[in-house]
Amino acid sequence: MTAPKSNALAALINALKVLPGVGPKSAQRMAYQLLQHDRDGAQKLHDALQAALKQVRHCRLCNTLCEEELCHLCADESRDTTRLMVVHMPIDVASMEDARCHDGQYFVLMGHINPAQGMDLHHIALEKLIARIEAGGIEEIVLATNFTAEGDATAYVLHELLKKYPCKISRLSRGMPLGSELEYIDAGTLAQAVYERKLLQK
Amino acid sequence: MTAPKSNALAALINALKVLPGVGPKSAQRMAYQLLQHDRDGAQKLHDALQAALKQVRHCRLCNTLCEEELCHLCADESRDTTRLMVVHMPIDVASMEDARCHDGQYFVLMGHINPAQGMDLHHIALEKLIARIEAGGIEEIVLATNFTAEGDATAYVLHELLKKYPCKISRLSRGMPLGSELEYIDAGTLAQAVYERKLLQK
C-alpha cells in the first residue's frame, strides 16, 4: 500500500491505531472502509466517542465506568455494604453478577499489577480503594483477582497493604472447576486442589 | 452389508461389539480388516488378550489393575501410608502422579455411584476400601472423585459411610483453575469459588 496523500486521512489512520489489536495495515483498511463505504458509520462513531468522552466517568464508590456519580450497583440500597469484592475490570463485575453469588459491593481496580514490569502500583486505583476502606463499615474484603501471574501479584500486594485494617480478607478458591474430571485437568490445578483440599471432618 | 455366512466370522463380529463405542457396523469393518489385511495383528490381539486375562489382577491393597500381588505404588515403601487418596479409576492415579502432589497411597474404586441409577453401591469396591481402613494406620482419607454428578454422589456416600472411623476426611478443592480469568469462567465455578473462598486473614 502507498502512503495516503491526505493529511486528514493519515491522521485518521494513525488515530485508529490506538484501538487494541489494530496495527498500521488494519488501520488503513478501517479508514478506507469508513470513508469509502460507511460515512454514516463514521459519523455515528464520532458522535458516540464524543458522548462517551463527555458522559462516562468513574463511580465515586466502586471506580467502575458509569454515567452517574454512583453506578447502579453502588446506588442499590438492598446490597450488603459490609462485603467488598475487589476485581480487575468492569467485565469482572458483570461475570460475578451473572453468577449471582455476591450480594455485597464491588471495587474495580481498572487494571492489575504486572510482576514482569516491576510491580508498579500506579496501574490500579489503590488510593481510592484505601480511602473506601478507611471510610469504614467494611467487614470482609474478597480479593477476586484472576488466577494469572498478574492477578496473583495483585492479590498478594493488596493483602500486604490491607492487612492492617480490621477486616477479614479472603480470596476466591482455587481448585477443580464444576463438572471437571481428574483425567482431563491440568497438573497444576490438580496439585492446587490437593494442597487446598477441603476438610469435611475433623 | 449382508450377514456373514461363516459362524466363526459372525462370532468374531459379535465379540468385537463388547468394545466400548463399537456397534454392529464398526464390528464388521474391524473383523474384515483383521481377517483380510492384518492376520498378524489379529494374532497379536489374541495373544495379548490371553496374557492379560491370565496375568492382570487387582492390587491387594489399592485395587488398581496390576500383575503382581501389590502394584508398584503400594509396594513402594517410601510412600506415606497414613494418607489414603480415593479415586475412581487407574487413570486418575496416573493423573495424580503426574501432578506430583500426593506422596501417600491410593485406593481405586474401579467405578462410581450413579445417582441417576439409584445410588447402587455395587459399582465401587466399597468392602475392600472399608477393610483397608479398618486394618488401621490411616490418618486422612482424601476423596479425589470427579466433580461430576457421579463423583459428587460417590464422595457424599463415602463421607457418610466412613465418618465413623477416626480419620480426617477431605475432598479436593473446588474453584478457579490455575491461569483462569473471571471473565472466561462458567458461572457455576465462579459461584463455587466465592462460596468456598479462602480466608487469608482472621
Side-chain angles (χ1 to χ4, degrees), chain A residues 140 146-147 163 169 171 173-174 176 178-180 182 189 197-198 200-201, chain B residues 140 146-147 163 169 171 173-174 176 178-180 182 189 197-198 200-201:
Chain A
E140 180 177 353
N146 292 333
F147 287 97
K163 65 185 177 189
I169 299 179
R171 195 174 176 204
S173 71
R174 271 178 289 209
M176 308 265 294
L178 259 66
S180 65
L182 270 68
T189 298
R197 64 190 178 277
K198 197 183 171 193
L200 303 178
Q201 137 168 343
Chain B
E140 180 177 352
N146 292 334
F147 287 97
K163 65 184 176 189
I169 300 180
R171 198 176 173 202
S173 71
R174 272 178 287 207
M176 307 265 294
L178 260 66
S180 64
L182 270 69
T189 297
R197 62 190 180 275
K198 198 183 171 192
L200 304 177
Q201 138 168 340

PDB file of all heavy atoms in Angstrom, chain A residues 140 146-147 163 169 171 173-174 176 178-180 182 189 197-198 200-201, chain B residues 140 146-147 163 169 171 173-174 176 178-180 182 189 197-198 200-201:
ATOM      1  N   GLU A 140     -15.529  -7.531  55.348  1.00  0.00           N
ATOM      2  CA  GLU A 140     -14.743  -8.519  54.603  1.00  0.00           C
ATOM      3  C   GLU A 140     -14.395  -7.966  53.228  1.00  0.00           C
ATOM      4  O   GLU A 140     -15.251  -7.432  52.523  1.00  0.00           O
ATOM      5  CB  GLU A 140     -15.518  -9.836  54.435  1.00  0.00           C
ATOM      6  CG  GLU A 140     -14.695 -10.865  53.660  1.00  0.00           C
ATOM      7  CD  GLU A 140     -15.373 -12.224  53.511  1.00  0.00           C
ATOM      8  OE1 GLU A 140     -16.435 -12.430  54.120  1.00  0.00           O
ATOM      9  OE2 GLU A 140     -14.830 -13.059  52.768  1.00  0.00           O
ATOM     10  N   ASN A 146      -7.865 -12.334  39.034  1.00  0.00           N
ATOM     11  CA  ASN A 146      -7.680 -13.532  38.216  1.00  0.00           C
ATOM     12  C   ASN A 146      -6.606 -14.448  38.799  1.00  0.00           C
ATOM     13  O   ASN A 146      -5.780 -14.026  39.606  1.00  0.00           O
ATOM     14  CB  ASN A 146      -7.261 -13.129  36.797  1.00  0.00           C
ATOM     15  CG  ASN A 146      -8.386 -12.429  36.068  1.00  0.00           C
ATOM     16  OD1 ASN A 146      -9.555 -12.651  36.357  1.00  0.00           O
ATOM     17  ND2 ASN A 146      -8.024 -11.586  35.107  1.00  0.00           N
ATOM     18  N   PHE A 147      -6.604 -15.712  38.340  1.00  0.00           N
ATOM     19  CA  PHE A 147      -5.561 -16.639  38.782  1.00  0.00           C
ATOM     20  C   PHE A 147      -4.446 -16.722  37.742  1.00  0.00           C
ATOM     21  O   PHE A 147      -3.986 -17.793  37.374  1.00  0.00           O
ATOM     22  CB  PHE A 147      -6.168 -17.997  39.147  1.00  0.00           C
ATOM     23  CG  PHE A 147      -6.926 -17.902  40.438  1.00  0.00           C
ATOM     24  CD1 PHE A 147      -8.290 -17.721  40.453  1.00  0.00           C
ATOM     25  CD2 PHE A 147      -6.254 -17.908  41.635  1.00  0.00           C
ATOM     26  CE1 PHE A 147      -8.982 -17.584  41.645  1.00  0.00           C
ATOM     27  CE2 PHE A 147      -6.933 -17.768  42.833  1.00  0.00           C
ATOM     28  CZ  PHE A 147      -8.299 -17.609  42.841  1.00  0.00           C
ATOM     29  N   LYS A 163      -3.753  -5.615  55.153  1.00  0.00           N
ATOM     30  CA  LYS A 163      -3.929  -6.463  56.329  1.00  0.00           C
ATOM     31  C   LYS A 163      -3.928  -5.677  57.637  1.00  0.00           C
ATOM     32  O   LYS A 163      -4.333  -6.202  58.665  1.00  0.00           O
ATOM     33  CB  LYS A 163      -2.926  -7.616  56.343  1.00  0.00           C
ATOM     34  CG  LYS A 163      -1.490  -7.277  56.478  1.00  0.00           C
ATOM     35  CD  LYS A 163      -0.688  -8.587  56.346  1.00  0.00           C
ATOM     36  CE  LYS A 163       0.802  -8.328  56.391  1.00  0.00           C
ATOM     37  NZ  LYS A 163       1.559  -9.549  56.061  1.00  0.00           N
ATOM     38  N   ILE A 169      -9.951 -10.750  55.216  1.00  0.00           N
ATOM     39  CA  ILE A 169      -9.536 -10.694  53.806  1.00  0.00           C
ATOM     40  C   ILE A 169      -9.597 -12.119  53.261  1.00  0.00           C
ATOM     41  O   ILE A 169      -9.085 -13.044  53.897  1.00  0.00           O
ATOM     42  CB  ILE A 169      -8.115 -10.131  53.647  1.00  0.00           C
ATOM     43  CG1 ILE A 169      -8.051  -8.700  54.196  1.00  0.00           C
ATOM     44  CG2 ILE A 169      -7.687 -10.154  52.189  1.00  0.00           C
ATOM     45  CD1 ILE A 169      -6.675  -8.065  54.099  1.00  0.00           C
ATOM     46  N   ARG A 171      -9.778 -14.733  49.473  1.00  0.00           N
ATOM     47  CA  ARG A 171      -9.575 -14.791  48.023  1.00  0.00           C
ATOM     48  C   ARG A 171     -10.418 -15.927  47.471  1.00  0.00           C
ATOM     49  O   ARG A 171     -10.663 -16.905  48.176  1.00  0.00           O
ATOM     50  CB  ARG A 171      -8.089 -15.018  47.709  1.00  0.00           C
ATOM     51  CG  ARG A 171      -7.774 -14.724  46.264  1.00  0.00           C
ATOM     52  CD  ARG A 171      -6.300 -14.781  45.911  1.00  0.00           C
ATOM     53  NE  ARG A 171      -6.205 -14.558  44.466  1.00  0.00           N
ATOM     54  CZ  ARG A 171      -5.214 -14.961  43.708  1.00  0.00           C
ATOM     55  NH1 ARG A 171      -4.190 -15.593  44.230  1.00  0.00           N
ATOM     56  NH2 ARG A 171      -5.236 -14.747  42.405  1.00  0.00           N
ATOM     57  N   SER A 173     -11.565 -19.315  45.841  1.00  0.00           N
ATOM     58  CA  SER A 173     -10.879 -20.596  45.992  1.00  0.00           C
ATOM     59  C   SER A 173     -10.291 -21.046  44.656  1.00  0.00           C
ATOM     60  O   SER A 173     -10.846 -20.801  43.594  1.00  0.00           O
ATOM     61  CB  SER A 173     -11.838 -21.656  46.528  1.00  0.00           C
ATOM     62  OG  SER A 173     -12.780 -22.018  45.556  1.00  0.00           O
ATOM     63  N   ARG A 174      -9.145 -21.702  44.763  1.00  0.00           N
ATOM     64  CA  ARG A 174      -8.544 -22.348  43.605  1.00  0.00           C
ATOM     65  C   ARG A 174      -8.882 -23.829  43.656  1.00  0.00           C
ATOM     66  O   ARG A 174      -8.979 -24.397  44.741  1.00  0.00           O
ATOM     67  CB  ARG A 174      -7.019 -22.225  43.668  1.00  0.00           C
ATOM     68  CG  ARG A 174      -6.500 -20.991  43.015  1.00  0.00           C
ATOM     69  CD  ARG A 174      -5.025 -20.889  43.155  1.00  0.00           C
ATOM     70  NE  ARG A 174      -4.670 -20.582  44.537  1.00  0.00           N
ATOM     71  CZ  ARG A 174      -3.572 -19.906  44.881  1.00  0.00           C
ATOM     72  NH1 ARG A 174      -2.748 -19.503  43.965  1.00  0.00           N
ATOM     73  NH2 ARG A 174      -3.312 -19.656  46.136  1.00  0.00           N
ATOM     74  N   MET A 176     -10.682 -27.450  41.353  1.00  0.00           N
ATOM     75  CA  MET A 176     -11.260 -28.085  40.174  1.00  0.00           C
ATOM     76  C   MET A 176     -12.547 -27.350  39.783  1.00  0.00           C
ATOM     77  O   MET A 176     -13.398 -27.114  40.633  1.00  0.00           O
ATOM     78  CB  MET A 176     -11.600 -29.530  40.495  1.00  0.00           C
ATOM     79  CG  MET A 176     -10.451 -30.322  41.086  1.00  0.00           C
ATOM     80  SD  MET A 176      -9.566 -31.232  39.844  1.00  0.00           S
ATOM     81  CE  MET A 176     -10.809 -32.408  39.339  1.00  0.00           C
ATOM     82  N   LEU A 178     -16.336 -26.869  38.320  1.00  0.00           N
ATOM     83  CA  LEU A 178     -17.515 -27.731  38.376  1.00  0.00           C
ATOM     84  C   LEU A 178     -17.613 -28.563  37.104  1.00  0.00           C
ATOM     85  O   LEU A 178     -17.362 -28.069  36.015  1.00  0.00           O
ATOM     86  CB  LEU A 178     -18.776 -26.871  38.523  1.00  0.00           C
ATOM     87  CG  LEU A 178     -19.306 -26.811  39.954  1.00  0.00           C
ATOM     88  CD1 LEU A 178     -18.312 -26.078  40.836  1.00  0.00           C
ATOM     89  CD2 LEU A 178     -20.660 -26.152  40.003  1.00  0.00           C
ATOM     90  N   GLY A 179     -17.999 -29.835  37.263  1.00  0.00           N
ATOM     91  CA  GLY A 179     -18.155 -30.718  36.108  1.00  0.00           C
ATOM     92  C   GLY A 179     -16.852 -31.321  35.624  1.00  0.00           C
ATOM     93  O   GLY A 179     -16.831 -32.056  34.639  1.00  0.00           O
ATOM     94  N   SER A 180     -15.722 -31.024  36.295  1.00  0.00           N
ATOM     95  CA  SER A 180     -14.434 -31.485  35.777  1.00  0.00           C
ATOM     96  C   SER A 180     -14.089 -32.889  36.266  1.00  0.00           C
ATOM     97  O   SER A 180     -14.557 -33.341  37.293  1.00  0.00           O
ATOM     98  CB  SER A 180     -13.330 -30.519  36.200  1.00  0.00           C
ATOM     99  OG  SER A 180     -13.185 -30.524  37.599  1.00  0.00           O
ATOM    100  N   LEU A 182     -10.762 -35.609  36.950  1.00  0.00           N
ATOM    101  CA  LEU A 182      -9.324 -35.635  37.213  1.00  0.00           C
ATOM    102  C   LEU A 182      -8.511 -35.921  35.957  1.00  0.00           C
ATOM    103  O   LEU A 182      -7.458 -35.336  35.721  1.00  0.00           O
ATOM    104  CB  LEU A 182      -8.988 -36.730  38.241  1.00  0.00           C
ATOM    105  CG  LEU A 182      -9.006 -36.344  39.705  1.00  0.00           C
ATOM    106  CD1 LEU A 182     -10.411 -36.041  40.165  1.00  0.00           C
ATOM    107  CD2 LEU A 182      -8.385 -37.438  40.542  1.00  0.00           C
ATOM    108  N   THR A 189      -3.475 -27.355  38.339  1.00  0.00           N
ATOM    109  CA  THR A 189      -4.761 -27.206  39.020  1.00  0.00           C
ATOM    110  C   THR A 189      -5.020 -28.388  39.947  1.00  0.00           C
ATOM    111  O   THR A 189      -5.512 -28.227  41.067  1.00  0.00           O
ATOM    112  CB  THR A 189      -5.884 -27.074  37.978  1.00  0.00           C
ATOM    113  OG1 THR A 189      -5.652 -25.891  37.214  1.00  0.00           O
ATOM    114  CG2 THR A 189      -7.251 -26.981  38.641  1.00  0.00           C
ATOM    115  N   ARG A 197      -7.174 -28.834  49.648  1.00  0.00           N
ATOM    116  CA  ARG A 197      -8.330 -29.724  49.822  1.00  0.00           C
ATOM    117  C   ARG A 197      -9.158 -29.284  51.017  1.00  0.00           C
ATOM    118  O   ARG A 197      -8.632 -28.724  51.980  1.00  0.00           O
ATOM    119  CB  ARG A 197      -7.865 -31.164  49.968  1.00  0.00           C
ATOM    120  CG  ARG A 197      -7.022 -31.468  51.176  1.00  0.00           C
ATOM    121  CD  ARG A 197      -6.438 -32.869  51.062  1.00  0.00           C
ATOM    122  NE  ARG A 197      -5.577 -33.203  52.192  1.00  0.00           N
ATOM    123  CZ  ARG A 197      -4.299 -32.866  52.300  1.00  0.00           C
ATOM    124  NH1 ARG A 197      -3.716 -32.155  51.338  1.00  0.00           N
ATOM    125  NH2 ARG A 197      -3.590 -33.209  53.348  1.00  0.00           N
ATOM    126  N   LYS A 198     -10.450 -29.561  50.917  1.00  0.00           N
ATOM    127  CA  LYS A 198     -11.385 -29.069  51.928  1.00  0.00           C
ATOM    128  C   LYS A 198     -11.639 -30.158  52.946  1.00  0.00           C
ATOM    129  O   LYS A 198     -12.034 -31.278  52.594  1.00  0.00           O
ATOM    130  CB  LYS A 198     -12.689 -28.712  51.211  1.00  0.00           C
ATOM    131  CG  LYS A 198     -13.580 -27.831  52.043  1.00  0.00           C
ATOM    132  CD  LYS A 198     -14.870 -27.560  51.331  1.00  0.00           C
ATOM    133  CE  LYS A 198     -15.815 -26.859  52.266  1.00  0.00           C
ATOM    134  NZ  LYS A 198     -17.176 -26.851  51.735  1.00  0.00           N
ATOM    135  N   LEU A 200     -13.635 -32.213  55.325  1.00  0.00           N
ATOM    136  CA  LEU A 200     -15.062 -32.456  55.540  1.00  0.00           C
ATOM    137  C   LEU A 200     -15.304 -32.847  56.989  1.00  0.00           C
ATOM    138  O   LEU A 200     -16.410 -32.732  57.500  1.00  0.00           O
ATOM    139  CB  LEU A 200     -15.555 -33.590  54.641  1.00  0.00           C
ATOM    140  CG  LEU A 200     -15.330 -33.393  53.135  1.00  0.00           C
ATOM    141  CD1 LEU A 200     -15.811 -34.599  52.363  1.00  0.00           C
ATOM    142  CD2 LEU A 200     -16.056 -32.158  52.644  1.00  0.00           C
ATOM    143  N   GLN A 201     -14.255 -33.346  57.632  1.00  0.00           N
ATOM    144  CA  GLN A 201     -14.425 -33.838  59.007  1.00  0.00           C
ATOM    145  C   GLN A 201     -13.091 -33.758  59.732  1.00  0.00           C
ATOM    146  O   GLN A 201     -12.063 -34.088  59.184  1.00  0.00           O
ATOM    147  CB  GLN A 201     -14.974 -35.272  58.920  1.00  0.00           C
ATOM    148  CG  GLN A 201     -14.377 -36.270  59.841  1.00  0.00           C
ATOM    149  CD  GLN A 201     -15.217 -37.539  59.857  1.00  0.00           C
ATOM    150  OE1 GLN A 201     -16.355 -37.576  59.452  1.00  0.00           O
ATOM    151  NE2 GLN A 201     -14.632 -38.596  60.347  1.00  0.00           N
TER     152      GLN A 201
ATOM    153  N   GLU B 140      -5.691 -39.805  57.248  1.00  0.00           N
ATOM    154  CA  GLU B 140      -6.523 -38.926  56.413  1.00  0.00           C
ATOM    155  C   GLU B 140      -6.952 -39.653  55.144  1.00  0.00           C
ATOM    156  O   GLU B 140      -6.139 -40.285  54.477  1.00  0.00           O
ATOM    157  CB  GLU B 140      -5.770 -37.635  56.022  1.00  0.00           C
ATOM    158  CG  GLU B 140      -6.637 -36.726  55.151  1.00  0.00           C
ATOM    159  CD  GLU B 140      -5.972 -35.399  54.779  1.00  0.00           C
ATOM    160  OE1 GLU B 140      -4.889 -35.095  55.307  1.00  0.00           O
ATOM    161  OE2 GLU B 140      -6.564 -34.681  53.951  1.00  0.00           O
ATOM    162  N   ASN B 146     -14.304 -37.251  40.896  1.00  0.00           N
ATOM    163  CA  ASN B 146     -14.549 -36.171  39.937  1.00  0.00           C
ATOM    164  C   ASN B 146     -15.590 -35.179  40.458  1.00  0.00           C
ATOM    165  O   ASN B 146     -16.356 -35.499  41.365  1.00  0.00           O
ATOM    166  CB  ASN B 146     -15.041 -36.754  38.612  1.00  0.00           C
ATOM    167  CG  ASN B 146     -13.952 -37.544  37.907  1.00  0.00           C
ATOM    168  OD1 ASN B 146     -12.762 -37.291  38.107  1.00  0.00           O
ATOM    169  ND2 ASN B 146     -14.348 -38.496  37.102  1.00  0.00           N
ATOM    170  N   PHE B 147     -15.631 -33.987  39.834  1.00  0.00           N
ATOM    171  CA  PHE B 147     -16.652 -33.006  40.211  1.00  0.00           C
ATOM    172  C   PHE B 147     -17.830 -33.056  39.237  1.00  0.00           C
ATOM    173  O   PHE B 147     -18.316 -32.051  38.751  1.00  0.00           O
ATOM    174  CB  PHE B 147     -16.028 -31.623  40.340  1.00  0.00           C
ATOM    175  CG  PHE B 147     -15.195 -31.533  41.586  1.00  0.00           C
ATOM    176  CD1 PHE B 147     -13.830 -31.729  41.543  1.00  0.00           C
ATOM    177  CD2 PHE B 147     -15.788 -31.336  42.811  1.00  0.00           C
ATOM    178  CE1 PHE B 147     -13.077 -31.696  42.696  1.00  0.00           C
ATOM    179  CE2 PHE B 147     -15.039 -31.300  43.975  1.00  0.00           C
ATOM    180  CZ  PHE B 147     -13.681 -31.484  43.912  1.00  0.00           C
ATOM    181  N   LYS B 163     -17.431 -41.727  57.987  1.00  0.00           N
ATOM    182  CA  LYS B 163     -17.186 -40.725  59.032  1.00  0.00           C
ATOM    183  C   LYS B 163     -17.123 -41.326  60.424  1.00  0.00           C
ATOM    184  O   LYS B 163     -16.663 -40.660  61.355  1.00  0.00           O
ATOM    185  CB  LYS B 163     -18.194 -39.577  58.948  1.00  0.00           C
ATOM    186  CG  LYS B 163     -19.624 -39.900  59.211  1.00  0.00           C
ATOM    187  CD  LYS B 163     -20.439 -38.615  58.960  1.00  0.00           C
ATOM    188  CE  LYS B 163     -21.920 -38.872  59.117  1.00  0.00           C
ATOM    189  NZ  LYS B 163     -22.704 -37.712  58.674  1.00  0.00           N
ATOM    190  N   ILE B 169     -11.281 -36.635  56.983  1.00  0.00           N
ATOM    191  CA  ILE B 169     -11.779 -36.870  55.625  1.00  0.00           C
ATOM    192  C   ILE B 169     -11.767 -35.529  54.896  1.00  0.00           C
ATOM    193  O   ILE B 169     -12.247 -34.532  55.430  1.00  0.00           O
ATOM    194  CB  ILE B 169     -13.208 -37.454  55.634  1.00  0.00           C
ATOM    195  CG1 ILE B 169     -13.229 -38.798  56.374  1.00  0.00           C
ATOM    196  CG2 ILE B 169     -13.719 -37.625  54.209  1.00  0.00           C
ATOM    197  CD1 ILE B 169     -14.603 -39.449  56.443  1.00  0.00           C
ATOM    198  N   ARG B 171     -11.816 -33.453  50.795  1.00  0.00           N
ATOM    199  CA  ARG B 171     -12.097 -33.589  49.368  1.00  0.00           C
ATOM    200  C   ARG B 171     -11.294 -32.535  48.613  1.00  0.00           C
ATOM    201  O   ARG B 171     -11.021 -31.471  49.161  1.00  0.00           O
ATOM    202  CB  ARG B 171     -13.601 -33.394  49.104  1.00  0.00           C
ATOM    203  CG  ARG B 171     -14.001 -33.947  47.747  1.00  0.00           C
ATOM    204  CD  ARG B 171     -15.476 -33.885  47.448  1.00  0.00           C
ATOM    205  NE  ARG B 171     -15.662 -34.304  46.057  1.00  0.00           N
ATOM    206  CZ  ARG B 171     -16.709 -34.010  45.314  1.00  0.00           C
ATOM    207  NH1 ARG B 171     -17.706 -33.320  45.819  1.00  0.00           N
ATOM    208  NH2 ARG B 171     -16.771 -34.403  44.059  1.00  0.00           N
ATOM    209  N   SER B 173     -10.274 -29.410  46.484  1.00  0.00           N
ATOM    210  CA  SER B 173     -10.960 -28.119  46.493  1.00  0.00           C
ATOM    211  C   SER B 173     -11.623 -27.847  45.149  1.00  0.00           C
ATOM    212  O   SER B 173     -11.128 -28.239  44.096  1.00  0.00           O
ATOM    213  CB  SER B 173      -9.981 -26.994  46.829  1.00  0.00           C
ATOM    214  OG  SER B 173      -9.095 -26.769  45.767  1.00  0.00           O
ATOM    215  N   ARG B 174     -12.761 -27.175  45.218  1.00  0.00           N
ATOM    216  CA  ARG B 174     -13.437 -26.691  44.028  1.00  0.00           C
ATOM    217  C   ARG B 174     -13.101 -25.220  43.867  1.00  0.00           C
ATOM    218  O   ARG B 174     -12.957 -24.516  44.870  1.00  0.00           O
ATOM    219  CB  ARG B 174     -14.950 -26.809  44.194  1.00  0.00           C
ATOM    220  CG  ARG B 174     -15.478 -28.137  43.773  1.00  0.00           C
ATOM    221  CD  ARG B 174     -16.950 -28.213  44.013  1.00  0.00           C
ATOM    222  NE  ARG B 174     -17.218 -28.345  45.443  1.00  0.00           N
ATOM    223  CZ  ARG B 174     -18.303 -28.932  45.930  1.00  0.00           C
ATOM    224  NH1 ARG B 174     -19.205 -29.420  45.118  1.00  0.00           N
ATOM    225  NH2 ARG B 174     -18.482 -29.020  47.225  1.00  0.00           N
ATOM    226  N   MET B 176     -11.460 -21.955  41.019  1.00  0.00           N
ATOM    227  CA  MET B 176     -10.959 -21.491  39.727  1.00  0.00           C
ATOM    228  C   MET B 176      -9.693 -22.272  39.365  1.00  0.00           C
ATOM    229  O   MET B 176      -8.779 -22.382  40.176  1.00  0.00           O
ATOM    230  CB  MET B 176     -10.599 -20.019  39.831  1.00  0.00           C
ATOM    231  CG  MET B 176     -11.708 -19.145  40.361  1.00  0.00           C
ATOM    232  SD  MET B 176     -12.648 -18.409  39.056  1.00  0.00           S
ATOM    233  CE  MET B 176     -11.424 -17.336  38.324  1.00  0.00           C
ATOM    234  N   LEU B 178      -5.984 -22.961  37.746  1.00  0.00           N
ATOM    235  CA  LEU B 178      -4.804 -22.107  37.618  1.00  0.00           C
ATOM    236  C   LEU B 178      -4.782 -21.441  36.245  1.00  0.00           C
ATOM    237  O   LEU B 178      -5.093 -22.067  35.239  1.00  0.00           O
ATOM    238  CB  LEU B 178      -3.533 -22.939  37.800  1.00  0.00           C
ATOM    239  CG  LEU B 178      -2.917 -22.817  39.190  1.00  0.00           C
ATOM    240  CD1 LEU B 178      -3.844 -23.428  40.222  1.00  0.00           C
ATOM    241  CD2 LEU B 178      -1.558 -23.450  39.253  1.00  0.00           C
ATOM    242  N   GLY B 179      -4.397 -20.181  36.219  1.00  0.00           N
ATOM    243  CA  GLY B 179      -4.312 -19.457  34.946  1.00  0.00           C
ATOM    244  C   GLY B 179      -5.643 -18.924  34.463  1.00  0.00           C
ATOM    245  O   GLY B 179      -5.717 -18.326  33.397  1.00  0.00           O
ATOM    246  N   SER B 180      -6.709 -19.129  35.232  1.00  0.00           N
ATOM    247  CA  SER B 180      -8.031 -18.734  34.736  1.00  0.00           C
ATOM    248  C   SER B 180      -8.342 -17.271  35.037  1.00  0.00           C
ATOM    249  O   SER B 180      -7.809 -16.693  35.972  1.00  0.00           O
ATOM    250  CB  SER B 180      -9.108 -19.621  35.349  1.00  0.00           C
ATOM    251  OG  SER B 180      -9.165 -19.434  36.738  1.00  0.00           O
ATOM    252  N   LEU B 182     -11.628 -14.469  35.539  1.00  0.00           N
ATOM    253  CA  LEU B 182     -13.058 -14.393  35.885  1.00  0.00           C
ATOM    254  C   LEU B 182     -13.933 -14.266  34.646  1.00  0.00           C
ATOM    255  O   LEU B 182     -15.008 -14.863  34.556  1.00  0.00           O
ATOM    256  CB  LEU B 182     -13.325 -13.163  36.765  1.00  0.00           C
ATOM    257  CG  LEU B 182     -13.231 -13.342  38.274  1.00  0.00           C
ATOM    258  CD1 LEU B 182     -11.810 -13.594  38.693  1.00  0.00           C
ATOM    259  CD2 LEU B 182     -13.798 -12.132  38.976  1.00  0.00           C
ATOM    260  N   THR B 189     -18.804 -22.400  38.457  1.00  0.00           N
ATOM    261  CA  THR B 189     -17.478 -22.472  39.077  1.00  0.00           C
ATOM    262  C   THR B 189     -17.169 -21.169  39.809  1.00  0.00           C
ATOM    263  O   THR B 189     -16.608 -21.189  40.918  1.00  0.00           O
ATOM    264  CB  THR B 189     -16.415 -22.758  37.997  1.00  0.00           C
ATOM    265  OG1 THR B 189     -16.694 -24.034  37.421  1.00  0.00           O
ATOM    266  CG2 THR B 189     -15.018 -22.758  38.580  1.00  0.00           C
ATOM    267  N   ARG B 197     -14.473 -19.423  49.237  1.00  0.00           N
ATOM    268  CA  ARG B 197     -13.316 -18.537  49.211  1.00  0.00           C
ATOM    269  C   ARG B 197     -12.418 -18.809  50.413  1.00  0.00           C
ATOM    270  O   ARG B 197     -12.877 -19.228  51.477  1.00  0.00           O
ATOM    271  CB  ARG B 197     -13.756 -17.078  49.191  1.00  0.00           C
ATOM    272  CG  ARG B 197     -14.546 -16.628  50.394  1.00  0.00           C
ATOM    273  CD  ARG B 197     -15.138 -15.244  50.130  1.00  0.00           C
ATOM    274  NE  ARG B 197     -15.924 -14.760  51.263  1.00  0.00           N
ATOM    275  CZ  ARG B 197     -17.193 -15.065  51.465  1.00  0.00           C
ATOM    276  NH1 ARG B 197     -17.823 -15.883  50.641  1.00  0.00           N
ATOM    277  NH2 ARG B 197     -17.833 -14.583  52.505  1.00  0.00           N
ATOM    278  N   LYS B 198     -11.130 -18.571  50.190  1.00  0.00           N
ATOM    279  CA  LYS B 198     -10.147 -18.923  51.203  1.00  0.00           C
ATOM    280  C   LYS B 198      -9.843 -17.702  52.052  1.00  0.00           C
ATOM    281  O   LYS B 198      -9.467 -16.654  51.529  1.00  0.00           O
ATOM    282  CB  LYS B 198      -8.879 -19.387  50.486  1.00  0.00           C
ATOM    283  CG  LYS B 198      -7.960 -20.157  51.379  1.00  0.00           C
ATOM    284  CD  LYS B 198      -6.697 -20.530  50.658  1.00  0.00           C
ATOM    285  CE  LYS B 198      -5.698 -21.106  51.629  1.00  0.00           C
ATOM    286  NZ  LYS B 198      -4.366 -21.207  51.027  1.00  0.00           N
ATOM    287  N   LEU B 200      -7.701 -15.374  54.034  1.00  0.00           N
ATOM    288  CA  LEU B 200      -6.268 -15.103  54.139  1.00  0.00           C
ATOM    289  C   LEU B 200      -5.941 -14.525  55.503  1.00  0.00           C
ATOM    290  O   LEU B 200      -4.809 -14.582  55.962  1.00  0.00           O
ATOM    291  CB  LEU B 200      -5.835 -14.105  53.061  1.00  0.00           C
ATOM    292  CG  LEU B 200      -6.144 -14.486  51.610  1.00  0.00           C
ATOM    293  CD1 LEU B 200      -5.726 -13.372  50.681  1.00  0.00           C
ATOM    294  CD2 LEU B 200      -5.440 -15.777  51.231  1.00  0.00           C
ATOM    295  N   GLN B 201      -6.955 -13.940  56.128  1.00  0.00           N
ATOM    296  CA  GLN B 201      -6.704 -13.276  57.413  1.00  0.00           C
ATOM    297  C   GLN B 201      -7.984 -13.237  58.222  1.00  0.00           C
ATOM    298  O   GLN B 201      -9.049 -12.948  57.697  1.00  0.00           O
ATOM    299  CB  GLN B 201      -6.160 -11.880  57.115  1.00  0.00           C
ATOM    300  CG  GLN B 201      -6.680 -10.752  57.949  1.00  0.00           C
ATOM    301  CD  GLN B 201      -5.844  -9.497  57.739  1.00  0.00           C
ATOM    302  OE1 GLN B 201      -4.720  -9.552  57.280  1.00  0.00           O
ATOM    303  NE2 GLN B 201      -6.394  -8.366  58.067  1.00  0.00           N
TER     304      GLN B 201
END
